[in-house]
């Protein structure tokens, strides 16, 4: 177990005595609070907060962060409260502890919607004060290091959560050391067999690798010394998860992976970086397409370095990274190395210069407010936060970072919302391209705009960034709402003319206010929207303005009047009841002619209420899935329902008479029909018949199939184009 003295030795070089006293005080408080508690490993529980604080000290985080690391479990696991923490250690430490506690209480292995919402809250906590997530990452890292003591199922759940959320988040924050260790530890528990096999394979080559690393380091050191460049060179083996991904992506065996080792050259200045690169390329041949300049185009997490792959000694491919000491510190500890805590304002807000470096955090704050759907937020997060980046240029040479797979529309919205909203075309490297084209590193993109053009719903099929997606959806919803208002008002006026209600007069007199209050609509516009989306029928609204039935009238007459009105509200006098639809206009699709007893699906149309289709109607594939609803038959009126059948029969005398005889016997009326003679001596008879329900229809079909002259009988459905389908 690590000792507090070891932590104090690490923080002493960069902390004041007052800050060190704060950490010592936090240690005493934590030790008292956790006294008597033990971990699953049998160690005193205090070992965990000490290890977390040690990780934070190695990252050279500030005193409130290290103190919060020592205290992060006190509120969750002891009788300590946030108020006590604030009283003893101040608001800053209390806010970090409170944020970490809230994240710890989230259950990521729950249903998808709840998981997405929890991740959303976590990212928002990070955007409010990034130290919350830094402490949580340190907490997760130590828990992963001691995961052996958990049950197998728990190991896999925690590892999957780490691989899906925490490792990518560490990568986005530039915390390379944490990211690498989190990935390898997760790999160990998620795919233990693959991990062990790869571990043994790499271990068998370790001696050879160590000799090779020493040889390459000696050559590079000599090269730098001969050219008067002060440099520090070291080699390392790539981590197992990285090797596994490369083998999987390229279909390689371990023996075929040649660049398992990577080398890093740390130099004194920026100019030395490029000088060292030139020397390396003069000594060893560079591999085409494997050079990346992250110094002139830094990653969003502030990472800077030169990357090149060369054919080194013995014909082996080796990866070399070249950077300054400052860049190296940033590469290892990312955001932690650049966080100007002393310039922070109250409540953990970013200093202005740091806020510029974290534009992506501001973007998260922007689009999380617009993405009301948690699943949509999660989808966007995976692209904007966890995907690899591509770097593209504006015509003026400004660099824009986009997620992998981004399109010109994403680029347009990255420039400005107005540019995206009025985007009508794009040129990539001087050539016109479709708006759905994928952008690549180094592309120069020019957006063509037209103030009369607006976003298209089709753009949602290919845009990748959260900003583009949320802005497009917002515009589409606004337009649809506007259309729904117009349609709702139009339907209300149309039915008003039929029922003798002057809708314009009612509007002027604010007569719809009681209706809005009854249905909890905040305004008349929302009432129109509900009618436009078929959530409410015009007749139901207008009935409130009709003269009341005469109280002296006979009860039978009043009942008849109510029945007539109810029939009208159902549309065309149909009194059918469908479960899941209450007081809505209901009609039946003419393509599939659903019958009572058929499995059915409802489609919420604009202006026509709910249109009922059979569950296997091919036209459902063309409809918007979000407007489909589950419905089922509760009962039906005793009346004839139309159905379409096709009879394939041998063209013989008397066959039609036999068919009509069976239909008459079964009580089925023929409403329409057509006949087509075929070259093979058969006839196709298409009939529209009237039946009571689906059982009635299929009993009739069974009887028709028994005729010797009949080859086949099928119920048919018309698709939208009018083609007959089985």
């Amino acid at each position: 177990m690590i000792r507090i003295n070891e932590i104090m030795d690490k923080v002493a070089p960069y902390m004041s005595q007052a800050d060190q006293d704060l950490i010592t005080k936090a240690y005493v408080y934590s030790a008292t609070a956790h006294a008597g508690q033990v971990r699953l490993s049998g160690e005193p529980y205090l070992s965990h907060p000490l290890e977390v604080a040690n990780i934070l000290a190695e990252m050279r985080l500030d005193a409130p962060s290290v103190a919060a690391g020592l205290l992060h479990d006190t509120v969750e696991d002891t009788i300590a409260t946030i108020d006590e923490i604030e009283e003893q250690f101040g608001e800053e430490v209390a806010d970090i502890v409170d944020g970490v506690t809230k994240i710890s209480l989230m259950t990521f292995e729950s249903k998808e919607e709840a998981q997405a919402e929890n991740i959303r809250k976590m990212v928002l906590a990070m955007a409010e004060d990034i130290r919350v997530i830094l402490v949580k990452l340190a907490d997760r890292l130590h828990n992963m290091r001691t995961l052996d003591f958990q049950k197998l199922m728990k190991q896999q759940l925690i590892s999957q959560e780490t691989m899906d959320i925490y490792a990518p988040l560490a990568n986005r924050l530039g915390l390379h050391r944490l990211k690498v260790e989190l990935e390898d530890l997760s790999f160990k528990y998620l795919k233990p067999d693959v991990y062990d096999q790869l571990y043994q394979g790499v271990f068998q080559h370790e001696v050879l690798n160590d000799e090779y690393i020493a040889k390459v380091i000696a050559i590079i050191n000599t090269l730098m010394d001969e050219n008067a460049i002060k440099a520090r060179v070291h080699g390392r083996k790539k981590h197992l998860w990285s090797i596994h991904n490369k083998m999987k992506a390229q279909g390689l065996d371990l023996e075929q992976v040649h660049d398992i080792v990577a080398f890093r050259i740390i130099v004194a200045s920026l100019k030395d970086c490029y000088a060292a690169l030139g020397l390396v390329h003069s000594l060893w041949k560079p591999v085409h397409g494997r050079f990346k300049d992250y110094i002139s185009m830094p990653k969003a997490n502030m990472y800077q370095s030169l990357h090149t792959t060369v054919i080194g000694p013995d014909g082996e491919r080796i990866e070399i990274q070249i950077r300054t000491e400052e860049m190296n510190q940033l590469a290892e500890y990312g955001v932690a190395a650049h966080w100007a805590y002393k310039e922070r304002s109250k409540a953990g807000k970013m200093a202005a210069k740091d806020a510029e470096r974290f534009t992506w955090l501001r973007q998260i704050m922007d689009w999380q407010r617009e993405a009301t759907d948690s699943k949509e937020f999660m989808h966007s997060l995976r692209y904007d936060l966890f995907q690899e980046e591509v770097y593209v240029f504006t015509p003026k040479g400004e660099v824009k970072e986009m997620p992998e797979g981004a399109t010109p529309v994403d680029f347009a919205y990255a420039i400005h919302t107005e540019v995206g909203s009025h985007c009508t075309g794009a040129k990539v490297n001087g050539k016109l391209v479709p708006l759905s084209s994928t952008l690549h590193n180094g592309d120069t993109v020019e957006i063509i705009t037209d103030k009369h053009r607006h976003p298209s719903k089709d753009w949602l099929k290919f845009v990748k960034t959260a900003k583009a997606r949320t802005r497009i959806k917002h515009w589409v919803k606004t337009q649809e709402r506007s259309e729904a208002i117009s349609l709702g008002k139009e339907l209300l006026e149309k039915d008003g003319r039929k029922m003798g209600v002057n809708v314009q007069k009612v509007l002027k007199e604010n007569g719809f206010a009681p209706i809005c209050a009854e249905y909890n609509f905040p305004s008349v516009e929302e009432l129109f929207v509900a009618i436009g989306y078929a959530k409410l029928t015009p007749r139901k609204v207008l009935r409130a303005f009709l003269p009341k039935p005469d109280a002296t009238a006979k009860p039978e007459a009043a009942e008849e009047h109510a029945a007539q009105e109810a029939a009208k509200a159902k549309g065309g006098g149909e009194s059918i009841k469908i479960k899941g639809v209450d007081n809505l206009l209901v009609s039946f699709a003419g393509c599939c002619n659903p019958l009572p007893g058929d499995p059915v699906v409802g489609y919420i149309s604009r202006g026509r209420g709910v249109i009922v289709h059979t569950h296997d109607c091919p036209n459902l594939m063309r409809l918007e899935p979000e407007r489909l609803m589950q419905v089922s038959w509760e009962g039906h009126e005793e009346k004839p329902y139309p159905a379409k059948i096709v009879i394939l029969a041998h063209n013989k005398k008397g066959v039609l008479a036999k068919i009509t005889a069976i239909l008459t016997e079964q009580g089925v009326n023929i409403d329409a029909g057509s006949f087509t003679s075929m070259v093979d001596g058969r006839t196709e008879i298409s009939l529209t018949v009237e039946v009571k329900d689906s059982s009635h229809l299929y009993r009739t079909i069974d009887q028709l199939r028994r005729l010797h002259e009949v080859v086949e009988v099928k119920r048919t459905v018309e698709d939208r184009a009018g083609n007959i389908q089985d």
Side-chain angles (χ1 to χ4, degrees):
M1 184 171 101
I2 196 166
R3 306 287 180 181
I4 186 62
N5 292 342
E6 297 174 63
I7 296 172
M8 299 311 296
D9 289 342
K10 290 177 182 177
V11 301
Y14 70 94
M15 281 191 191
S16 66
Q17 188 57 51
D19 285 343
Q20 294 179 54
D21 291 343
L22 178 71
I23 293 173
T24 303
K25 183 180 178 182
Y27 164 72
V28 173
Y29 187 95
S30 181
T32 304
H34 290 297
Q37 294 181 345
V38 293
R39 304 196 82 209
L40 291 176
S41 62
E43 288 184 299
Y45 194 88
L46 184 62
S47 64
H48 173 62
L50 278 169
E51 290 287 356
V52 172
N54 183 57
I55 293 168
L56 297 169
E58 288 177 346
M59 294 163 63
R60 296 178 68 84
L61 289 183
D62 64 345
S65 299
V66 179
L70 288 164
L71 300 167
H72 76 277
D73 275 340
T74 53
V75 174
E76 185 182 353
D77 295 333
T78 75
I79 60 172
T81 65
I82 283 294
D83 291 338
E84 288 178 13
I85 299 293
E86 184 173 349
E87 183 181 343
Q88 292 278 337
F89 302 97
E91 182 182 357
E92 203 171 2
V93 174
D95 285 347
I96 298 173
V97 172
D98 188 39
V100 175
T101 302
K102 287 176 180 175
I103 294 174
S104 299
L105 293 174
M106 296 175 184
T107 53
F108 289 89
E109 60 267 27
S110 59
K111 292 181 180 178
E112 182 183 359
E113 182 103 26
Q115 177 181 348
E117 184 59 30
N118 286 337
I119 295 166
R120 178 176 185 159
K121 291 174 183 176
M122 183 184 72
V123 173
L124 291 180
M126 174 188 73
E128 184 65 25
D129 186 340
I130 209 164
R131 292 175 296 179
V132 171
I133 203 63
L134 295 178
V135 175
K136 181 59 188 175
L137 284 169
D139 171 50
R140 176 51 58 103
L141 178 58
H142 184 249
N143 282 332
M144 289 300 297
R145 288 173 177 174
T146 55
L147 202 58
D148 277 340
F149 301 98
Q150 293 281 0
K151 292 180 180 178
L152 178 62
M153 183 175 291
K154 194 77 171 175
Q155 288 175 348
Q156 293 182 337
L157 283 172
I158 293 172
S159 297
Q160 191 63 58
E161 174 187 301
T162 302
M163 189 69 87
D164 288 346
I165 304 301
Y166 290 104
L169 196 51
N171 180 54
R172 198 64 167 87
L173 293 170
L175 304 170
H176 180 74
R177 285 193 178 183
L178 267 69
K179 174 241 183 190
V180 166
E181 191 171 354
L182 287 172
E183 285 179 340
D184 274 2
L185 288 169
S186 300
F187 181 30
K188 174 182 175 182
Y189 293 104
L190 290 173
K191 299 182 177 180
D193 295 341
V194 179
Y195 177 90
D196 290 340
Q197 185 179 0
L198 192 56
Y199 180 85
Q200 293 298 327
V202 172
F203 180 76
Q204 289 173 8
H205 293 83
E206 190 162 7
V207 176
L208 179 61
N209 286 337
D210 288 345
E211 292 175 357
Y212 189 78
I213 288 172
K215 178 181 178 180
V216 173
I217 288 176
I219 294 172
I220 295 176
N221 274 327
T222 302
L223 183 66
M224 296 297 120
D225 289 342
E226 288 174 350
N227 289 274
I229 295 177
K230 292 183 179 179
R232 206 160 43 84
V233 185
H234 60 89
R236 60 177 177 82
K237 290 179 283 295
K238 289 187 175 180
H239 64 294
L240 297 182
W241 179 244
S242 173
I243 297 172
H244 169 70
N245 280 342
K246 182 166 186 175
M247 291 169 59
K248 187 176 178 182
Q250 299 181 18
L252 305 175
D253 295 326
L254 182 59
E255 291 73 20
Q256 297 172 295
V257 181
H258 300 296
D259 51 348
I260 290 178
V261 246
F263 296 86
R264 190 169 297 155
I265 305 174
I266 314 296
V267 295
S269 66
L270 181 61
K271 69 175 185 178
D272 286 345
C273 289
Y274 290 98
L277 176 69
L279 291 171
V280 168
H281 282 179
S282 67
L283 180 64
W284 294 311
K285 183 180 179 180
V287 177
H288 179 70
R290 295 300 303 273
F291 169 68
K292 292 181 181 178
D293 186 348
Y294 291 119
I295 292 179
S296 60
M297 290 191 295
K299 290 188 176 184
N301 59 18
M302 304 177 299
Y303 176 87
Q304 288 183 291
S305 184
L306 298 176
H307 288 199
T308 186
T309 300
V310 298
I311 307 299
D314 307 328
E316 293 286 344
R317 283 190 178 199
I318 56 174
E319 181 184 316
I320 298 177
Q321 300 170 357
I322 307 170
R323 59 182 72 145
T324 64
E325 288 285 0
E326 184 182 354
M327 292 174 190
N328 189 56
Q329 184 70 10
L330 183 61
E332 294 297 311
Y333 297 114
V335 57
H338 242 303
W339 203 245
Y341 296 106
K342 293 182 181 178
E343 298 180 33
R344 297 167 63 86
S345 60
K346 194 175 180 181
K349 303 297 182 184
M350 297 180 207
K353 71 175 186 179
D354 285 314
E356 291 177 9
R357 298 186 183 106
F358 288 91
T359 54
W360 57 275
L361 271 180
R362 293 203 308 274
Q363 290 169 0
I364 288 173
M365 292 298 289
D366 287 341
W367 52 260
Q368 71 83 22
R369 283 189 282 266
E370 297 175 4
T372 54
D373 186 343
S374 296
K375 291 182 182 178
E376 174 66 23
F377 177 86
M378 189 61 191
H379 172 79
S380 301
L381 188 71
R382 291 188 187 281
Y383 270 103
D384 278 33
L385 199 59
F386 300 160
Q387 292 295 312
E388 291 297 322
E389 306 90 3
V390 295
Y391 298 89
V392 294
F393 296 89
T394 67
K396 293 182 178 180
E398 182 184 352
V399 179
K400 292 287 182 182
E401 179 196 293
M402 309 298 295
E404 192 175 34
T407 66
V409 175
D410 295 295
F411 179 83
Y413 276 101
I415 295 172
H416 195 277
T417 299
E418 287 300 307
V419 176
S421 295
H422 299 299
C423 172
T424 185
K427 289 183 179 180
V428 175
N429 303 323
K431 296 180 180 179
L432 280 170
V433 298
L435 291 176
S436 58
S437 303
T438 300
L439 300 179
H440 301 94
N441 269 322
D443 283 346
T444 298
V445 186
E446 179 185 351
I447 300 298
I448 303 166
T449 59
D450 180 348
K451 64 180 180 180
H452 300 296
R453 294 293 297 271
H454 298 288
S456 166
K457 192 173 184 179
D458 291 337
W459 291 357
L460 292 171
K461 296 175 182 177
F462 55 77
V463 293
K464 296 295 186 290
T465 60
K467 182 175 182 180
R469 186 171 293 277
T470 52
R471 297 295 186 191
I472 295 165
K473 281 194 168 185
H474 176 72
W475 191 89
V476 169
K477 286 181 179 178
T478 302
Q479 283 299 110
E480 287 185 347
R481 186 178 184 278
S482 177
E483 291 172 4
I485 290 172
S486 299
L487 179 60
K489 187 177 178 182
E490 182 184 334
L491 291 170
L492 207 57
E493 290 176 343
K494 183 179 178 181
D495 278 27
R497 286 191 292 270
K498 293 179 181 178
M499 298 173 67
V501 178
N502 189 332
V503 172
Q504 289 296 335
K505 184 180 178 182
V506 174
L507 273 172
K508 288 180 181 178
E509 296 173 354
N510 199 26
F512 288 114
I515 305 294
C516 292
E518 181 183 349
Y519 290 100
N520 294 319
F521 293 128
S523 66
V524 177
E525 278 193 351
E526 293 302 323
L527 174 65
F528 292 161
V529 169
I531 294 170
Y533 277 120
K535 294 179 181 177
L536 194 64
T537 63
R539 288 182 177 273
K540 186 166 186 177
V541 173
L542 294 170
R543 208 175 296 132
F545 302 99
L546 294 175
K548 303 297 180 187
D550 187 355
T552 62
K554 294 181 180 179
E556 293 83 357
E559 288 176 9
E560 183 180 350
H561 173 77
Q564 289 173 352
E565 286 300 318
K568 288 179 182 178
K570 282 293 181 182
E574 294 170 356
S575 61
I576 184 170
K577 294 180 180 180
I578 298 184
K579 189 177 181 181
V581 181
D582 184 25
N583 296 320
L584 291 185
L585 185 69
V586 176
S587 59
F588 299 100
C591 53
C592 54
N593 292 309
L595 301 173
D598 284 337
V600 286
V601 175
Y603 178 72
I604 302 173
S605 70
R606 295 192 182 96
R608 293 178 58 199
V610 176
I611 301 175
V612 180
H613 292 258
T614 58
H615 79 293
D616 55 355
C617 178
N619 289 323
L620 291 175
M621 300 296 292
R622 302 187 179 97
L623 301 179
E624 299 174 36
E626 61 270 18
R627 292 169 65 185
L628 296 175
M629 63 184 299
Q630 291 184 347
V631 295
S632 60
W633 300 90
E634 282 190 351
H636 65 279
E637 186 180 0
E638 288 293 329
K639 54 168 275 188
Y641 291 86
K644 295 177 181 178
I645 60 173
V646 172
I647 305 170
L648 186 63
H650 295 291
N651 192 358
K652 295 181 179 180
K653 290 181 180 181
V655 66
L656 185 58
K658 291 181 180 179
I659 290 172
T660 54
I662 289 178
L663 293 177
T664 303
E665 180 185 322
Q666 295 295 321
V668 175
N669 182 50
I670 300 175
D671 187 53
S674 63
F675 307 88
T676 304
S677 295
M678 305 172 73
V679 293
D680 60 358
R682 294 185 296 178
T683 297
E684 186 178 88
I685 306 170
S686 299
L687 300 176
T688 300
V689 297
E690 293 178 339
V691 294
K692 296 177 183 178
D693 52 31
S694 59
S695 297
H696 186 194
L697 174 65
Y698 288 114
R699 282 198 306 271
T700 303
I701 289 175
D702 285 342
Q703 291 299 319
L704 290 171
R705 284 174 176 165
R706 293 181 182 182
L707 288 174
H708 178 71
E709 294 85 353
V710 170
V711 178
E712 183 58 278
V713 185
K714 294 180 181 179
R715 182 183 178 185
T716 61
V717 175
E718 284 187 5
D719 65 16
R720 190 170 289 180
N723 301 317
I724 298 294
Q725 299 194 4
D726 294 340

